[in-house]
Amino acid sequence: MAKKTYDLLFKLLLIGDSGVGKTCVLFRFSDDAFNTTFISTIGIDFKIKTVELQGKKIKLQIWDTAGQERFHTITTSYYRGAMGIMLVYDITNAKSFENISKWLRNIDEHANEDVERMLLGNKCDMEDKRVVPKAKGEQIAREHGIRFFETSAKANINIEKAFLTLAEDILRKTPVKEPNSENVDISSGSGVTGWKSKCCS
Amino acid sequence: MEFGEESSPALAFEKDAFELTVEDVYDISYVIGRDLLKISSTGEEVSDLQFRIVRVLEMFEALVNKSNLSVEELKMERDNLKSELDRLGRLGTVTGPNQLLVDLTDPNRPRFTMQELKEVLQERNQLKAQLMVAQEELQLFKSGILPQAEPAMVEVDLDTPDSTERNPATLSDVKEEKTTIGKL
């Protein structure tokens, strides 16, 4: 009897240095708004947004992590359940770019092997303060075989595109199973990936 | 009184050199001056010698004075350090290379553990998820899509496998983090 309001549920995760704009990127996507006041995320938060792809209603549950090192143990425990991870750096902050390799290593250590990864160079509206050339972002993404976008949460550049692309990439890998996708179980409690362990909670 | 005055300045000669005070130096000067008067006749040599002795006594005075002040300063320094050490000791935290000194009077001092924060965040996110489900249902009821009697629109899958209510031992082992969103 119970009908779902969506066909699939994807869990995404935002990671990257503190202050690169992860929360703003998410806020732009979920609420189409932007806030200039910087409030550091405490530990972990999430937002929900339902999108439609290939005729399927897909509920995106997007986890927003704190970039600060002191929350590391909390945030890394959320990697496991993620089907897609967005690694965000700030094009006006060289350190946040240098730390990409550290974040990629975190993914290797804590996330599922087949997690979809994506690199975002945020704040691309601030061309005058840019210190990381676009080509460098593209290069490191190529080296790791992942997608790359330069984004601006403030100017609303490439935000939706990035999320939809990531969702499409996950959808492509998702086995088309039981048409009554009744039990899209994403309780990652047991540590299994959502879309692999569908039917059996 | 007279007797006392007569005898006491000479006592300064008996003292330990490092215990001399400026007053002792004055006593010594007084005694030497008195003795010089006894031998003095007129004569160049004697008055030259007197002059030099006075000079030496002045230098002596300056040295004693300085050394006394230094000792005083060092004593104060030591007392300050002592009371500082006591204060830190009372705070109970001995700081080592990997330790944090916590000021117990600071209302904003850290006082919760990572595990506690983790649990609070989990609960927050769980409630948030449930609220969203409830809002969604409410919306559907309002728009009349669902007749009132129907069961819940969105299945709230309350059993969170493995993660929550088990014995504490497994709880810690299992990567339980996200019991939360089984319900979305």
Side-chain angles (χ1 to χ4, degrees), chain B residues 3-53:
Chain B
F3 179 70
E5 264 186 335
E6 191 65 31
S7 64
S8 69
L11 286 178
F13 286 94
E14 325 263 306
K15 284 182 110 177
D16 183 278
F18 295 107
E19 300 198 330
L20 287 176
T21 64
V22 183
E23 278 71 31
D24 294 327
V25 177
Y26 295 153
D27 285 350
I28 288 169
S29 305
Y30 167 77
V31 173
I32 289 177
R34 196 187 52 192
D35 291 352
L36 277 174
L37 278 176
K38 285 181 196 157
I39 55 166
S40 77
S41 41
T42 47
E44 281 290 299
E45 290 95 349
V46 177
S47 84
D48 272 2
L49 183 61
Q50 278 178 337
F51 181 78
R52 289 199 180 104
I53 289 174

Side-chain angles (χ1 to χ4, degrees), chain A residues 33 51 123 158 199:
Chain A
V51 298
K123 307 194 188 178
N158 277 342
C199 50

Side-chain angles (χ1 to χ4, degrees), chain B residues 42-183:
Chain B
T42 47
E44 281 290 299
E45 290 95 349
V46 177
S47 84
D48 272 2
L49 183 61
Q50 278 178 337
F51 181 78
R52 289 199 180 104
I53 289 174
V54 168
R55 179 76 193 116
V56 168
L57 287 170
E58 281 171 358
M59 290 158 96
F60 188 39
E61 178 198 2
L63 286 173
V64 168
N65 202 7
K66 175 111 190 275
S67 113
N68 282 348
L69 285 176
S70 306
V71 168
E72 207 51 44
E73 274 171 21
L74 287 171
K75 271 184 187 158
M76 274 165 66
E77 181 95 341
R78 184 197 58 191
D79 291 347
N80 284 343
L81 289 173
K82 235 186 214 166
S83 59
E84 179 74 0
L85 191 67
D86 285 351
R87 202 178 61 81
L88 291 179
R90 268 198 306 282
L91 282 179
T93 320
V94 182
T95 43
N98 279 320
Q99 286 176 319
L100 183 70
L101 185 68
V102 174
D103 178 2
L104 289 180
T105 61
D106 178 3
N108 245 333
R109 69 185 183 272
R111 63 185 100 185
F112 301 112
T113 65
M114 193 57 102
Q115 186 54 38
E116 285 166 331
L117 175 62
K118 208 173 189 174
E119 281 160 18
V120 170
L121 286 174
Q122 253 171 39
E123 188 174 0
R124 194 267 313 261
N125 288 334
Q126 192 163 356
L127 291 171
K128 199 168 149 183
Q130 283 168 353
L131 174 68
M132 284 175 175
V133 170
Q135 278 174 334
E136 220 164 79
E137 279 176 33
L138 182 66
Q139 202 57 45
L140 290 166
F141 278 125
K142 270 186 181 166
S143 58
I145 295 176
L146 266 194
Q148 298 288 330
E150 282 278 312
M153 178 69 196
V154 183
E155 230 172 36
V156 179
D157 175 13
L158 276 176
D159 54 285
T160 41
D162 287 357
S163 33
T164 32
E165 289 110 53
R166 287 245 176 134
N167 63 60
T170 27
L171 219 173
S172 54
D173 299 347
V174 183
K175 289 218 160 186
E176 24 86 51
E177 281 64 58
K178 298 138 279 183
T179 69
T180 22
I181 338 291
K183 297 105 207 176

